[in-house]
Amino acid sequence: MIRRISKEYIFFPLAMHQWLIASCGFGCMLLCARVIVTGYLTYVFLLWNLFLAFVPYAVSYWLFNIRRIRENRWKLTLALAVWLLFVPNSFYILTDLFHLDEISSAPKWFDLLLLLSFAWNGLLFGIISLHKVEAVLQSIRGKSFSLFIVFIVMWLNAFGIYIGRYLRYNSWDVIVQPFSLFREMIEVLLHPIDKKMEWGMITCYTVFMTLLYITIKKLGENFNQVKK
């Protein structure tokens, strides 16, 4: 039986949408200023990456607020599958920091702030969307995610980051070129010793993102307790 999702379960205040818009707007203003001053479109790809990071947030928001989707098993399964497919994009944007040393058409401090702004917004989309999905599943199953489940989701995110950053696949390649994508994924999974650097990267990112999510969640819970 599906329970009503309590608004108090979400640890962000009601004005979070406005703050997210303001935060994304600030990053976009930095990008526009860079294009105007330097005349280069170097970091325009950040807009696309931020949009991809927004997709799982939009799916989770849709799931959280539309009850009839949660009550239909097939729609719920499809929505969760889409969410799981796109949510690595929210954390992938963190690796755009790699570009800091590759481009020198603007001051380093400015490019660092620009990249951090987009990375932060992407992380916010990912963390909030994961928490909303946790709330949805709690309304159905009656209990929160275990640490193990969070770790598994973050492992999938880290694996998705590796696929995107190093194998250069996108989320839609699951449909466009599934066989080559599947073949390379199996190559990594079946040869952990030969791919130890890849597994090291995936493991480190998994632990980092798990700690990040749990820490922010606990901070929110502490704030709610103080408020009460």
Side-chain angles (χ1 to χ4, degrees):
M1 181 177 179
I2 297 179
R3 303 180 180 181
R4 179 179 175 273
I5 299 178
S6 173
K7 295 298 182 181
E8 294 181 357
Y9 181 83
I10 295 300
F11 55 85
F12 295 103
L14 295 177
M16 178 52 66
H17 293 305
Q18 288 84 351
W19 284 111
L20 277 174
I21 293 173
S23 183
C24 292
F26 176 72
C28 292
M29 287 175 60
L30 291 176
L31 180 59
C32 290
R34 192 186 195 284
V35 171
I36 292 172
V37 173
T38 66
Y40 291 101
L41 300 176
T42 308
Y43 283 115
V44 172
F45 66 86
L46 289 172
L47 293 174
W48 177 247
N49 287 350
L50 186 62
F51 170 75
L52 292 178
F54 171 76
V55 171
Y57 173 81
V59 172
S60 65
Y61 183 84
W62 183 52
L63 271 174
F64 184 80
N65 288 281
I66 302 179
R67 185 183 180 90
R68 66 176 180 274
I69 302 299
R70 305 194 300 272
E71 293 175 340
N72 186 300
R73 179 181 299 180
W74 294 108
K75 290 182 179 179
L76 176 64
T77 302
L78 179 60
L80 289 175
V82 172
W83 175 81
L84 193 60
L85 179 64
F86 279 91
V87 73
N89 293 303
S90 300
F91 299 90
Y92 168 87
I93 199 171
L94 180 65
T95 63
D96 285 330
L97 289 166
F98 290 174
H99 295 293
L100 184 61
D101 291 331
E102 300 173 0
I103 303 167
S104 58
S105 53
K108 288 294 182 185
W109 65 264
F110 185 89
D111 282 351
L112 176 61
L113 179 60
L114 174 64
L115 291 169
L116 281 175
S117 175
F118 276 84
W120 172 245
N121 291 321
L123 288 174
L124 284 179
F125 283 138
I127 290 170
I128 296 173
S129 71
L130 176 56
H131 196 64
K132 284 184 179 292
V133 168
E134 182 178 358
V136 169
L137 295 182
Q138 180 179 352
S139 72
I140 298 173
R141 298 291 184 179
K143 60 181 179 179
S144 302
F145 277 2
S146 67
L147 180 60
F148 176 74
I149 297 299
V150 172
F151 187 83
I152 293 299
V153 172
M154 289 307 187
W155 185 89
L156 292 173
N157 283 331
F159 193 63
I161 291 173
Y162 167 74
I163 291 172
R165 175 56 64 184
Y166 293 103
L167 301 184
R168 306 309 297 170
Y169 286 99
N170 299 300
S171 297
W172 53 83
D173 284 323
V174 172
I175 299 174
V176 176
Q177 43 182 340
F179 297 109
S180 60
L181 172 60
F182 183 74
R183 184 175 63 252
E184 296 207 49
M185 289 172 59
I186 291 298
E187 181 73 17
V188 175
L189 293 174
L190 294 184
H191 301 90
I193 297 179
D194 295 337
K195 302 290 185 179
K196 54 182 177 294
M197 291 301 294
E198 289 82 349
W199 275 92
M201 174 262 176
I202 293 170
T203 302
C204 288
Y205 271 74
T206 300
V207 173
F208 169 72
M209 292 186 299
T210 301
L211 291 173
L212 183 65
Y213 175 75
I214 296 297
T215 301
I216 292 180
K217 179 180 176 181
K218 293 301 180 182
L219 281 173
E221 291 175 352
N222 288 337
F223 289 150
N224 286 336
Q225 289 176 0
V226 172
K227 186 177 180 180
K228 293 178 180 179

